[in-house]
Amino acid sequence: MAETKSGERPHDPKFPEKFLEFMRSGWGPLDLDAAPLPQAAFTARRREALSSAFPGEVLIVPTGEEQRRSNDTFYPFRAGSDFVWLTGDQDPEGVLVLHPSGGGHEAVLYRRPRKGTDSDEFFRSAKYGELWIGRKHSLDETEVRLGLPCKDVEGLDEALKGADRARTRILRGFDSALDARFADEDAPEEGLTRDGELAAVLSELRLRKDSWEIEQLQDAVDITVRGFEDVARIIPATGSVSERLIEGVFRSRARLEGNGLGYDSIVGAGSHATTLHWITNDGATKTGELLLMDMGVENHHLYTADVTRTIPVDGRFTPLQKQVYDVVHASQQAGMDVIRPGTEFQEIHQTCMRVLAEGLSDLGILPGSVDEALDKDSLIYRRWTLHGFGHMLGLDVHDCAASRPEHYYKGAVQEDFVLTVEPGLYFQANDELVPEELRGVGIRIEDDVRVTADGCENLSDGLPRSSDEVETWLAEQREAGPRIAGAN
């Protein structure tokens, strides 16, 4: 191991006692703000909703710990989405437990306590010591911030002693020791395990966003819009710029105003745009080609945007590029137009796909009729569309993925669901069934929308969507010139 459980490493020096005594004295207080977090009232209501779904059962939701990158370095920690949704806590190694109490539950957050200057860990532990990683909140301070009782995680085993395994559910995948202790040996091989049911219910509770969550999503989207503007200002109409420079400029905005990226940025110049999850980003822009950028900022509260724009590098679409772009735009608009509470997820999908299939037919590419291509026993149009119309969005870029099908892709959207609408057309560079001018062309337009009482609201309407608007916007950004990330 690169370090012990306390965070000490094998190559750390063996300090003499005189130095240790010297380091233990002479430290004054170092205060941190311990005001209640604005989301605390919302997280309390979320815990109540989860409690109501599992009366009389012990519910355990860990957040996990830092993952090793190499030797004694770690990846930046990102709290588990369900855990942070229920607590607001973003620190590692926490475990939320809902203990049955009366007719409901008592929620307790078990987490690692602060080890201040009264502990040698303060200066000796590279993983936990405040001299290394900064001042952390104490358990008492965390209680105030989260509005949630907090106890030392070392007491978790004692707190769970005697818990009935058959009446205990744990969200697995974060803490192997807890997983093993409460393993469901009698779970069926197929269908929901006890862990799966807890995960599904949590996902389904997270489908409808509360007002605080919508504010966070709008914040993430607004930062993302500024990131796209930053990028547009450094892309030359002639010459070339690397995909990785574009990726880096956007990442600067994400780190400056948010927690970071919501997912690895997809920056596809030319034929790279036809690879759906192109994250190698080792190409470069070229005059006359298109550039597809799928990028999103994760804000400070871990809510993410997910936006895609496809632009003509030289500032103007060719007639054929414009024809394809306008088909994708029409498909996206048609999908948005049918969104309202009660609309089936599949209806949105079919609406978008029909417009794409009709466009492929108009281009002379689609063999046979549109209806034949859309028939469930055919689906040949998908050679060029590749994916569905969109997905749920929230704390995860593909949010609420553990929801049961009848509540998600086989169900209907409801008010305050937030989802992406992102149809696309992709013509591979080696596709001999399309005109040569289209080979290597990929176009996707993606926006983040909230379902409202009578339709939907486009949260990302700060960026243009139509082909004419994109050309105008790109010219305006270039005229404004590059800016330092962070300048208004």
Side-chain angles (χ1 to χ4, degrees), residues 2-3 66-77 127:
E3 77 283 318
E66 295 166 296
Q67 297 299 303
R68 191 180 311 281
R69 185 178 187 273
S70 66
N71 192 20
D72 59 352
T73 63
F74 295 83
Y75 289 105
F77 178 73
K127 185 175 181 182

Side-chain angles (χ1 to χ4, degrees), residues 352-375:
C352 291
M353 295 306 110
R354 176 165 287 277
V355 176
L356 293 181
E358 290 171 347
L360 290 168
S361 180
D362 292 341
L363 287 163
I365 294 172
L366 193 68
S369 71
V370 170
D371 286 339
E372 289 171 340
L374 290 168
D375 186 88

Side-chain angles (χ1 to χ4, degrees), residues 248-281:
V249 168
F250 185 82
R251 183 188 292 270
S252 295
R253 176 64 66 179
R255 284 295 287 162
L256 179 72
E257 293 194 54
N259 186 55
L261 297 174
Y263 53 93
D264 289 333
S265 295
I266 298 168
V267 183
S271 62
H272 288 165
T274 66
T275 301
L276 295 184
H277 289 171
W278 174 258
I279 59 173
T280 307
N281 297 345

Side-chain angles (χ1 to χ4, degrees), residues 328-441:
V328 176
H329 179 229
S331 169
Q332 188 197 38
Q333 187 60 55
M336 289 183 180
D337 287 344
V338 300
I339 294 176
R340 58 183 46 82
T343 302
E344 295 289 329
F345 196 86
Q346 289 303 312
E347 180 183 348
I348 308 170
H349 173 78
Q350 292 299 330
T351 299
C352 291
M353 295 306 110
R354 176 165 287 277
V355 176
L356 293 181
E358 290 171 347
L360 290 168
S361 180
D362 292 341
L363 287 163
I365 294 172
L366 193 68
S369 71
V370 170
D371 286 339
E372 289 171 340
L374 290 168
D375 186 88
K376 62 182 178 64
D377 293 324
S378 169
L379 301 181
I380 58 174
Y381 74 94
R382 288 195 69 129
R383 178 185 177 103
W384 301 288
T385 65
L386 299 180
H387 57 78
F389 85 88
H391 52 79
M392 300 300 175
L393 185 70
L395 280 165
D396 297 319
V397 67
H398 294 147
D399 206 37
C400 308
S403 299
R404 287 163 287 201
E406 60 268 27
H407 295 283
Y408 194 162
Y409 66 91
K410 289 186 178 180
V413 298
Q414 302 298 336
E415 187 172 359
D416 290 331
F417 281 21
V418 177
L419 62 155
T420 67
V421 183
E422 53 173 313
L425 287 174
Y426 312 91
F427 305 103
Q428 304 304 315
N430 62 340
D431 190 342
E432 297 180 349
L433 299 185
V434 302
E436 187 171 353
E437 187 181 349
L438 280 180
R439 296 174 192 173
V441 170

Side-chain angles (χ1 to χ4, degrees), residues 32-40 43 87-91 111 137-148:
L32 279 185
D33 178 35
L37 296 179
Q39 67 267 42
T43 56
T87 67
D89 185 27
Q90 294 190 33
D91 284 345
R111 52 174 280 157
H137 285 102
S138 68
L139 293 179
D140 289 342
E141 292 167 340
T142 303
E143 281 196 10
V144 172
R145 297 179 74 240
L146 304 182
L148 177 63

